[in-house]
Amino acid sequence: MSITPHDESFMAAAIRLSRRHLGRTATNPSVGCLIVKDGVVVGQAVTALGGRPHAEPQALAEAGEAARGATAYVTLEPCSHHGKTPPCAEALIAHGVARVVISVTDPDPRVSGRGIAMLREAGIEVDAGVLEAEGRRSLAGYLTRQTKSRPYVTLKLAVSADGMIGRAGEGQVAITGPEARAEVQALRAETDAILVGIGTAISDDPLLTVRTPGLEAQSPIRIVLDPSLALPLTSKLVATARDVPVILVASEQVWPLSADAEGLPPSVLPDYRGRATGLDPSFGPPTGRDPSAQDGSPSPTPADVERGASPLLISPPVGEMPGRAEGGGLSTDLDSRRTALEAAGVEIVYCNPYHPEILLPALATRGISSLLVEGGAKTARLFLEAGLVDRIQLYQAPVVIGKDGIESPLARTDIPSGFAHTGTQMFGEDRLDEYERGL
């Protein structure tokens, strides 16, 4: 059967539905499913909070007997493997669905065409690739984590009319108006984690939460690149760490077990780190390598190299990395700060903060599929120069910062190659331009 305008309309509705739980389905994708019979929606669902149950069995349950002979519109290929729940493809077969329309095929090797094959073998008609570009956009985090072993990275910048993102020494400076700020809150609500550098965390003392009434529970994990644990204990981030998770990414040199690990053979270190810290081994210091030596730096994945990631160690942004204790040892003050931060509920991980091609895959192992980089200029440049930004949201406002302004690392006239302009929107007097790389 050829694809009809009705198919596209129902798939567009399924994609809109799928966005309701973005950032809230753990490692599973947020999928939308509609069950349609005789042009009427008889069942609909989105992947449940936490990732289970999946969308298809919920929509089928709502449709009941009406599912027999109906068409199912699904934003992602139905799963075909037995995990913690039975395969969704089997559920569609059992309920007697006559046709399944899919937006995006699943790159997960456990599925990847097998779901479609199961359906066709059962005599169900299958059409795939309907509104695929839109579907891939809604599934960007999941697809990036599956194919590149890292989160999908969005860089958000708000730039004044004179090309500034703030004013030195003044903390947070309002650049955009309330309409644009509300849009940013919505973006935070559908993102797994948000990241800033320690300079921004200290100067702005931000909360980095979702403050839209009714969406507060959707605040993302907050991550700070903080090589020497300089985040003030009096900061808003520390004060709220038990309410919304905070992760500090500290330098390997301040790793409390580094001295104990000296002399251990390299083959032992990954397991040693994992058992000692309770974290994925990739969060520890590079095994058997001097983290400051370029020729010993771990290489990024081939997929990231293709996207422009540098295979060399990225230098710390000037001004973002406070010095560590004299003599290179872990000082008593640093030890007490770490203890106080952890007592406040802050999690500390040890991974070169300025080596994003290592940090991002490590975040992916923890189920983080989407990351919003929100400040400041040096951190933005870090991810841009590494070639690890997938989407740019560039807000431009009529306000003028003037003297002592902090120059934006990016303008509309110098967007990096490989990005396509995907749209412009106005929020009050503020203009939003979006740019994306192909998934």
Side-chain angles (χ1 to χ4, degrees):
M1 177 183 290
S2 59
I3 304 303
T4 70
H6 290 295
D7 289 331
E8 294 185 345
S9 295
F10 284 124
M11 185 59 75
I15 291 170
R16 288 194 297 272
L17 179 62
S18 75
R19 299 187 66 88
R20 289 186 185 177
H21 287 174
L22 281 179
R24 306 179 71 193
T25 56
T27 57
N28 285 339
S30 183
V31 174
C33 177
L34 301 183
I35 308 297
V36 178
K37 191 166 188 178
D38 300 325
V40 177
V41 176
V42 294
Q44 59 181 313
V46 59
T47 305
L49 301 180
R52 294 183 184 84
H54 293 180
E56 295 94 325
Q58 294 181 81
L60 289 166
E62 183 177 295
E65 282 300 314
R68 190 163 301 279
T71 297
Y73 293 86
V74 191
T75 59
L76 182 68
E77 178 183 1
C79 61
S80 57
H81 61 286
H82 285 268
K84 294 185 179 180
T85 55
C88 292
E90 285 188 0
L92 291 164
I93 294 168
H95 279 76
V97 168
R99 181 175 178 238
V100 176
V101 181
I102 298 165
S103 179
V104 180
T105 55
D106 196 336
D108 186 332
R110 296 172 299 175
V111 184
S112 195
R114 293 183 177 86
I116 291 174
M118 283 180 64
L119 296 169
R120 285 177 173 160
E121 287 170 5
I124 296 174
E125 182 182 351
V126 180
D127 289 297
V130 177
L131 298 187
E132 184 174 6
E134 294 87 341
R136 292 181 70 84
R137 190 171 292 116
S138 70
L139 291 161
Y142 171 75
L143 296 175
T144 301
R145 188 166 58 82
Q146 283 288 337
T147 60
K148 297 181 173 63
S149 300
R150 64 169 179 83
Y152 182 85
V153 177
T154 297
L155 171 63
K156 191 275 293 183
L157 292 168
V159 183
S160 67
D162 54 345
M164 306 297 170
I165 63 170
R167 187 179 290 113
E170 293 197 15
Q172 293 191 48
V173 176
I175 293 178
T176 54
E179 296 93 340
R181 290 197 293 272
E183 183 67 12
V184 172
Q185 294 291 308
L187 174 62
R188 288 181 180 180
E190 62 182 35
T191 303
D192 292 337
I194 183 170
L195 181 146
V196 299
I198 185 59
T200 296
I202 291 174
S203 64
D204 291 2
D205 191 21
L207 266 173
L208 303 179
T209 54
V210 176
R211 294 183 291 280
T212 302
L215 296 181
E216 296 91 344
Q218 295 180 223
S219 292
I221 296 169
R222 299 168 295 172
I223 302 172
V224 182
L225 303 183
D226 186 6
S228 56
L229 303 183
L231 184 67
L233 297 174
T234 56
S235 67
K236 293 174 184 174
L237 287 167
V238 174
T240 57
R242 294 202 179 279
D243 301 318
V244 181
V246 173
I247 296 175
L248 301 188
V249 182
S251 170
E252 297 96 336
Q253 285 91 337
V254 302
W255 185 46
L257 301 177
S258 58
D260 296 333
E262 288 182 5
L264 287 175
S267 61
V268 175
L269 284 171
D271 183 58
Y272 177 84
R273 286 199 305 276
R275 286 184 289 106
T277 64
L279 298 170
D280 183 272
S282 55
F283 273 102
T287 58
R289 297 187 177 99
D290 175 1
S292 65
Q294 289 186 346
D295 59 356
S297 300
S299 299
T301 64
D304 283 340
V305 171
E306 289 176 6
R307 296 172 65 84
S310 169
L312 301 179
L313 180 67
I314 297 171
S315 299
V318 175
E320 283 278 348
M321 187 173 182
R324 62 190 181 93
E326 289 294 327
L330 185 65
S331 69
T332 302
D333 177 63
L334 190 56
D335 197 17
S336 62
R337 285 183 57 75
R338 185 182 69 249
T339 300
L341 286 165
E342 291 176 336
V346 174
E347 181 179 3
I348 303 170
V349 299
Y350 302 91
C351 174
N352 191 317
Y354 305 115
H355 214 326
E357 69 269 31
I358 295 176
L359 173 61
L360 291 180
L363 294 177
T365 67
R366 299 164 66 90
I368 293 176
S369 299
S370 55
L371 178 69
L372 174 61
V373 176
E374 208 172 285
K378 299 177 182 71
T379 300
R381 288 191 188 98
L382 174 72
F383 280 83
L384 286 168
E385 289 172 4
L388 294 172
V389 174
D390 300 293
R391 176 172 60 166
I392 297 169
Q393 288 204 335
L394 185 62
Y395 285 89
Q396 297 160 98
V399 65
V400 174
I401 296 295
K403 186 180 178 182
D404 297 326
I406 300 171
E407 186 177 355
S408 172
L410 203 61
R412 269 196 299 159
T413 55
D414 60 2
I415 300 297
S417 62
F419 283 89
H421 184 256
T422 56
T424 299
Q425 299 180 69
M426 296 299 297
F427 296 94
E429 295 184 319
D430 304 319
R431 169 177 172 147
L432 169 62
D433 283 282
E434 288 199 79
Y435 305 84
E436 294 180 0
R437 295 186 193 265
L439 284 170

